[in-house]
C-alpha cells in the first residue's frame, strides 16, 4: 500500500469427513459385539490472518500479526444396543495477535524481539489465554562467512478439539478431557552457519526445551487412556546440515537430527514420550536442467519411535522407515507455475501412529498463478 509497507493476507476453509465402522469379524456383515460401532466424523475449519510489516526509524522492521480460526467437529456414533445416533459437536474460535521488531544494533549484530497471545472463544469453558515472548541476538557480520545466533523463547500450544473431546463412548478406550490445559515450553537455541566457499554451507543447531503441562496420552485404567497434561518434560537435541552447490543448476543438502525427549519424574527414571523418533536423516537433491524446469527429490530416513500400546499400555516400538518423494515444477510463463509431485514413491508400508498406516504412493498436481508481482 505504500513505500516500505507490506500487507499480507490469507483466508482458508477446509472440510473433512471420515466414516469409521468396526465389525464383529472379517466378514464385515454384523455389528453386535461390544466393541463394534458406526462413527461418522465431519470437520470444518475456516479462518485467515493478516500481517502488516513496515519500517520504523533507524531501519528497524516492525511486524504485526492478527489471525482468527474457527473449528467444528461433528461426531455421529451408533453404539451396540442403541437405536439412535449419539451426536456431539464441539466447536471453538481461536484468535491470535502478535508483534515483532527486528533491528540491526550495528553492522555485526541483529536483534529480534516479539510478543504474542492466543485466545480461545466460542466454547463453554475456554482454556486460559497464552502469553509468549521471544528474544534473539545474532552475530551476522556483512561480507563474513560466519553467522551465530542465540534465542530464548516461551511458546504455548492450545489443546486440539481431538485432545479435549475425543472419546470411545463406552467403558473401554478413550476418555474425553474437556479440562485439558495448554502446554508451554521455555526454548533455548544456539545455532551457527558457516559458508567457507560460495558452493558450501554448513549449519549446526543445539536446542533444549523445558516443557510444562505437556499434552500426552496417559493410561487411566488397564482398558482406558486419556489425553492429559504431563507435569514436566524435557527435550533437547542437535540439528546438523551440509549444503552443496557444485554448479548453478544443482543443490544437494544432507541433514541429520537427534532428539532426546523424556517425561521427568521426581526421584524416578525419565520415561519415553510417545512418537518422538530420536534419529532423522534427510537428503534433498534439487536440479534445474532448464531455466523453466526444476526437479526435486527427497529421501527421509526416520529412526524407531517408542509408543505406549493402546491395548496393553506397555511400551513398544515402531520400526525404521524410508520415505521417498519427488516433484517436477515447470514455469512456462512468468507468474505461472505448474507442478506434479509423487509422495512415498517406494509405496512403503509404515506407521507414524500405531494402527494408522500412512498412505501408499500418491500423485499430486497443482497450478500457481501470481498476478501483479513486484520486486520486494
Amino acid at each position: 500500500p505504500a513505500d516500505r509497507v507490506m500487507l499480507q493476507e490469507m483466508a482458508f476453509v477446509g472440510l473433512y469427513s471420515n466414516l469409521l465402522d468396526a465389525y464383529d469379524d472379517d466378514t464385515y456383515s454384523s455389528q453386535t459385539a461390544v466393541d463394534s460401532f458406526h462413527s461418522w466424523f465431519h470437520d470444518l475449519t475456516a479462518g485467515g490472518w493478516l500481517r502488516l510489516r513496515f519500517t520504523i526509524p533507524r531501519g528497524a522492521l516492525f511486524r504485526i500479526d492478527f489471525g482468527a480460526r474457527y473449528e467444528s467437529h461433528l461426531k455421529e456414533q451408533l453404539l451396540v444396543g442403541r437405536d439412535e445416533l449419539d451426536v456431539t459437536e464441539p466447536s471453538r474460535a481461536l484468535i491470535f495477535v502478535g508483534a515483532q521488531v527486528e533491528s540491526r544494533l550495528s553492522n555485526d549484530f541483529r536483534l529480534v524481539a516479539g510478543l504474542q497471545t492466543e485466545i480461545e472463544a466460542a466454547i463453554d469453558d475456554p482454556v486460559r489465554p497464552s502469553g509468549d515472548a521471544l528474544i534473539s541476538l545474532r552475530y551476522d557480520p556483512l561480507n563474513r562467512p560466519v553467522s551465530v545466533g542465540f534465542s530464548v523463547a516461551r511458546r504455548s500450544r492450545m489443546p486440539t478439539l481431538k485432545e479435549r473431546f475425543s472419546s470411545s463412548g463406552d467403558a473401554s478406550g478413550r476418555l474425553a478431557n474437556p479440562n485439558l490445559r495448554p502446554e508451554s515450553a521455555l526454548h533455548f537455541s544456539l545455532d551457527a552457519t558457516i559458508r567457507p566457499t560460495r558452493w558450501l554451507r554448513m549449519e549446526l543447531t543445539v536446542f533444549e526445551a523445558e516443557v510444562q503441562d505437556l499434552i500426552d496420552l496417559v493410561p487411566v485404567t488397564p482398558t482406558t487412556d486419556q489425553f492429559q497434561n504431563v507435569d514436566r518434560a524435557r527435550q533437547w537435541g542437535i540439528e546438523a546440515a551440509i549444503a552443496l552447490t557444485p554448479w548453478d543448476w544443482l543443490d544437494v543438502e544432507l541433514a541429520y537430527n537427534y532428539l532426546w525427549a523424556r517425561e521427568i519424574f521426581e526421584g524416578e527414571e525419565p520415561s519415553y514420550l510417545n512418537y518422538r523418533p530420536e534419529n532423522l536423516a534427510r537428503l534433498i537433491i534439487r536440479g534445474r536442467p532448464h531455466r523453466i524446469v526444476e526437479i526435486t527429490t527427497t529421501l527421509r530416513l526416520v529412526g524407531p519411535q517408542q509408543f505406549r500400546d493402546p491395548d496393553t499400555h506397555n511400551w513398544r516400538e515402531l520400526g525404521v522407515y524410508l520415505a521417498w518423494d519427488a516433484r517436477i515444477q515447470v514455469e512456462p510463463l512468468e507468474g505461472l507455475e505448474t507442478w506434479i509431485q509423487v509422495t512415498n514413491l517406494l509405496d512403503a508400508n509404515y506407521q507414524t501412529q500405531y494402527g494408522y498406516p500412512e498412505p501408499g504412493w500418491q500423485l499430486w498436481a497443482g497450478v500457481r498463478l501470481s498476478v501483479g508481482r513486484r520486486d520486494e
Side-chain angles (χ1 to χ4, degrees):
D3 290 340
R4 300 186 177 183
V5 177
M6 178 177 290
L7 179 65
Q8 296 174 286
E9 58 280 329
M10 185 270 287
F12 65 88
V13 62
L15 299 170
Y16 174 79
S17 291
N18 185 43
L19 180 62
L20 183 62
D21 280 292
Y23 292 91
D24 298 339
D25 51 43
D26 58 6
T27 62
Y28 305 108
S29 58
S30 61
Q31 294 176 294
T32 59
V34 175
D35 54 355
S36 297
F37 59 85
H38 170 87
S39 296
W40 202 346
F41 303 93
H42 309 274
D43 290 327
L44 165 67
T45 59
W49 54 260
L50 293 172
R51 172 174 295 166
L52 178 65
R53 297 190 299 176
F54 56 92
T55 303
I56 58 179
R58 300 181 63 86
L61 181 66
F62 190 72
R63 193 180 82 190
I64 299 176
D65 295 294
F66 174 81
R69 178 186 182 98
Y70 175 78
E71 302 174 343
S72 174
H73 176 72
L74 172 62
K75 175 183 178 182
E76 301 174 322
Q77 183 166 261
L78 183 63
L79 301 175
V80 174
R82 300 184 184 179
D83 297 327
E84 296 182 357
L85 286 173
D86 179 21
V87 179
T88 58
E89 189 176 8
S91 62
R92 70 173 176 186
L94 292 172
I95 300 172
F96 170 86
V97 180
Q100 180 174 295
V101 62
E102 179 179 340
S103 176
R104 273 200 174 272
L105 302 179
S106 67
N107 289 334
D108 294 341
F109 290 92
R110 180 160 50 93
L111 176 69
V112 177
L115 298 171
Q116 68 181 37
T117 184
E118 192 169 20
I119 303 169
E120 187 180 56
I123 196 168
D124 293 337
D125 188 18
V127 300
R128 66 176 186 268
S130 65
D132 298 332
L134 159 73
I135 185 166
S136 173
L137 181 64
R138 175 164 293 277
Y139 173 72
D140 189 16
L142 300 174
N143 302 320
R144 297 248 183 120
V146 178
S147 174
V148 180
F150 175 74
S151 65
V152 180
R154 186 187 188 277
R155 285 289 183 261
S156 302
R157 185 181 74 84
M158 290 286 185
T160 65
L161 291 178
K162 171 186 176 180
E163 291 166 338
R164 294 179 69 184
F165 298 106
S166 63
S167 65
S168 63
D170 54 19
S172 63
R174 183 69 41 77
L175 301 178
N177 187 1
N179 298 318
L180 203 60
R181 302 183 302 277
E183 63 183 23
S184 62
L186 186 61
H187 293 265
F188 301 89
S189 176
L190 177 64
D191 67 271
T193 301
I194 303 175
R195 293 178 178 269
T197 66
R198 182 188 63 84
W199 52 268
L200 175 62
R201 184 183 81 252
M202 295 178 289
E203 298 177 354
L204 180 65
T205 300
V206 180
F207 64 89
E208 182 183 15
E210 296 289 331
V211 189
Q212 300 292 332
D213 291 333
L214 179 75
I215 298 172
D216 203 3
L217 271 178
V218 176
V220 178
T221 70
T223 58
T224 60
D225 59 20
Q226 184 182 52
F227 284 103
Q228 294 184 3
N229 293 106
V230 175
D231 182 51
R232 182 168 168 245
R234 177 179 298 155
Q235 303 182 51
W236 69 267
I238 298 173
E239 300 175 355
I242 181 170
L244 303 172
T245 308
W247 300 281
D248 292 340
W249 53 269
L250 180 64
D251 299 319
V252 179
E253 180 178 331
L254 180 63
Y256 170 75
N257 296 1
Y258 172 79
L259 173 66
W260 187 91
R262 299 290 190 273
E263 182 180 353
I264 305 299
F265 302 95
E266 292 294 335
E268 299 182 23
E269 287 293 322
S271 175
Y272 291 110
L273 293 176
N274 274 309
Y275 302 112
R276 268 76 166 185
E278 286 193 350
N279 298 282
L280 169 64
R282 182 178 65 252
L283 173 65
I284 302 175
I285 302 175
R286 183 179 298 105
R288 291 168 293 277
H290 191 274
R291 62 181 180 81
I292 67 170
V293 179
E294 181 175 285
I295 301 174
T296 305
T297 183
T298 304
L299 286 171
R300 288 180 293 116
L301 181 63
V302 182
Q305 303 178 57
Q306 305 295 323
F307 73 97
R308 196 182 290 273
D309 190 295
D311 297 321
T312 65
H313 295 166
N314 294 325
W315 285 103
R316 295 180 59 188
E317 184 177 277
L318 292 178
V320 179
Y321 69 86
L322 177 67
W324 181 21
D325 304 331
R327 175 187 175 106
I328 300 177
Q329 179 176 304
V330 180
E331 188 174 0
L333 300 172
E334 184 177 358
L336 176 64
E337 296 178 1
T338 62
W339 53 268
I340 295 176
Q341 180 173 341
V342 182
T343 58
N344 195 6
L345 265 168
L346 299 175
D347 203 30
N349 182 6
Y350 66 92
Q351 301 179 31
T352 57
Q353 183 176 348
Y354 177 71
Y356 295 89
E358 291 296 309
W361 74 270
Q362 298 182 88
L363 180 66
W364 305 80
V367 176
R368 177 175 179 174
L369 179 63
S370 300
V371 180
R373 295 190 303 178
R374 67 179 185 178
D375 296 334
E376 297 182 14

